């Protein structure tokens, strides 16, 4: 009878090759958390809830600093807070 151990070992070693490390945005089927936070911030802006928008954008920057939205969130916060206001 043929042993399954060699076959199992081959399958185990090939597994990392089957799983890509990064998904391309065009192919993702679900929002990532940073996508959802950015969209939530935009929704708060449309609704005129500036305090909630700012809190959401700050959380996005704090929690996901390497996100593609972090720089955009920082710029949006800089534009929405008057220069003489304390943060």
């Amino acid at each position: 009878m043929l042993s399954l151990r060699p076959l199992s070992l081959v399958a185990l070693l090939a597994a990392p090759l089957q799983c890509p490390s990064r998904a391309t945005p065009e192919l993702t089927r679900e929002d990532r958390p940073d996508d959802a936070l950015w969209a939530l911030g935009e929704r708060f802006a449309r609704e005129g809830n500036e305090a909630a928008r700012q809190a959401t954008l700050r959380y996005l920057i704090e929690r996901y600093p390497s996100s593609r939205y972090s720089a955009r969130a920082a710029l949006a916060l800089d534009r929405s807070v008057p220069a003489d206001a304390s943060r």
Side-chain angles (χ1 to χ4, degrees):
M1 181 167 203
L2 187 63
S3 174
L4 293 179
R5 283 187 180 176
L7 183 59
S8 298
L9 183 60
V10 170
L12 181 64
L13 293 175
L17 301 175
Q18 298 170 6
C19 304
S21 60
R22 293 197 175 248
T24 56
E26 303 84 35
L27 301 178
T28 56
R29 296 181 189 176
E30 298 177 7
D31 284 342
R32 295 186 327 227
D34 58 332
D35 292 326
L37 287 169
W38 178 259
L40 183 61
E42 292 296 298
R43 179 178 172 187
F44 286 141
R46 285 191 306 274
E47 294 173 354
N49 191 345
E50 190 60 27
R53 177 179 180 259
Q54 289 179 11
T56 302
L57 295 180
R58 283 190 186 101
Y59 182 78
L60 189 156
I61 293 167
E62 178 184 307
R63 184 77 166 96
Y64 303 100
S66 62
S67 166
R68 62 182 169 170
Y69 296 110
S70 287
R72 291 168 65 181
L75 287 172
L77 285 170
D78 286 343
R79 282 188 246 123
S80 64
V81 177
D84 60 347
S86 62
R87 292 183 188 187

